[in-house]
Every structure is written in C-alpha cells, then in structure tokens.
Amino acid sequence: GIAGFIGLIGGVIAAWLGTRYGNIRPVTIGILLNAVFAAGLAISNSPFLFGALYLLWTAAYYFMLPYMMGILAEMDDRGRWAVAVDALWWLGAAPGAAVAGLVYQAGGYSGLFAVPLIAGFACLVVLTQVLRKFYANQEK
C-alpha cells in the first residue's frame, strides 16, 4: 500500500513535466527505468534494497503511464490503440507468474534478472517502429 502511495510521485513528476520534452523521450526513459528497477528486484538480496527498488519501480511505472496513454490518445482519438495496448498488456501479464516460474527453474534469479530487460528492450523496439510508421503516415 505504501508503494502505491509513494509511487504516485512518478505521476506528479510526469504532471509537472507535462509535454515540455514531448511524449516519446519521457516514455522511453520510463520504460528503461521500469526494466532496470524490475530487473534489480530479481537479484536484490536485502530487504531494504528490495523495498527501495520496488518503490522506484512503482514510481517509474506511474511516471511512464501518463505519457504512454498520451501517445496512444494522439494516435487515435477514438481510443482503439489504448484498448489494444491494454489488452496486449494484460495478455502478457496473465501468464507472467507461470513464465517467471519456468524462467527461475531454468536459470535461477539471474534468468529472472534478464526477463524485464529483454521485455523492456522489445517494448522499445515495437514502440519505436509503431511510432515511426504512425508519424510517417501523418506527414502524407
């Protein structure tokens, strides 16, 4: 409960920054921070470090989410992209615990360390490609 409340600091920072730096740069930073902090959770070996990383991960999530929703709203004012991305998000989250268990069984905590880094990189690749095509079509 505390993490959710303290994590709102990320949303406050996003609201304070607004669109001064556009949407793409902040969402990229948010995705990278989410990946790094989540990876750190897998290999933290002290309760204090785990708690601190969890708070940072939550803040990074609350920072990134408004920018991601802003990008999706810019792409489609009727909300189709927001619905599609949210559905894909939950499609990935649903088997998450089972996949994490299999990864842990195969590679231990170092394997779990790699999962958010790989997922974050894949997310950035997909986001970059979608936005590149979207903005190219906007110019036509």
Side-chain angles (χ1 to χ4, degrees), residues 67-139:
Y67 286 108
M68 180 66 80
M69 291 297 133
I71 288 171
L72 296 173
E74 182 182 350
M75 293 176 77
D76 178 19
D77 58 358
R78 293 181 9 194
R80 293 173 294 189
W81 272 100
V83 170
V85 168
D86 193 48
L88 287 172
W89 190 319
W90 287 108
L91 180 65
V99 171
L102 293 171
V103 170
Y104 173 75
Q105 186 178 19
Y109 286 109
S110 59
L112 282 179
F113 174 80
V115 170
L117 297 176
I118 292 167
F121 177 74
C123 181
L124 286 176
V125 169
V126 170
L127 179 67
T128 303
Q129 295 302 312
V130 168
L131 290 177
R132 188 178 60 115
K133 290 182 183 195
F134 173 74
Y135 289 127
N137 287 335
Q138 291 294 323
E139 293 174 4

Side-chain angles (χ1 to χ4, degrees), residues 9-23:
I9 293 169
V12 170
I13 293 170
W16 176 72
L17 282 176
T19 56
R20 289 182 211 163
Y21 301 101
N23 286 338

Side-chain angles (χ1 to χ4, degrees), residues 30-67:
I31 290 169
L32 290 172
L33 290 175
N34 267 273
V36 168
F37 295 145
L41 287 171
I43 59 168
S44 64
N45 44 353
S46 84
F48 177 78
L49 180 60
F50 185 87
L53 285 170
Y54 188 74
L55 292 174
L56 291 169
W57 176 69
T58 305
Y61 173 78
Y62 283 127
F63 173 79
M64 180 267 313
L65 193 60
Y67 286 108

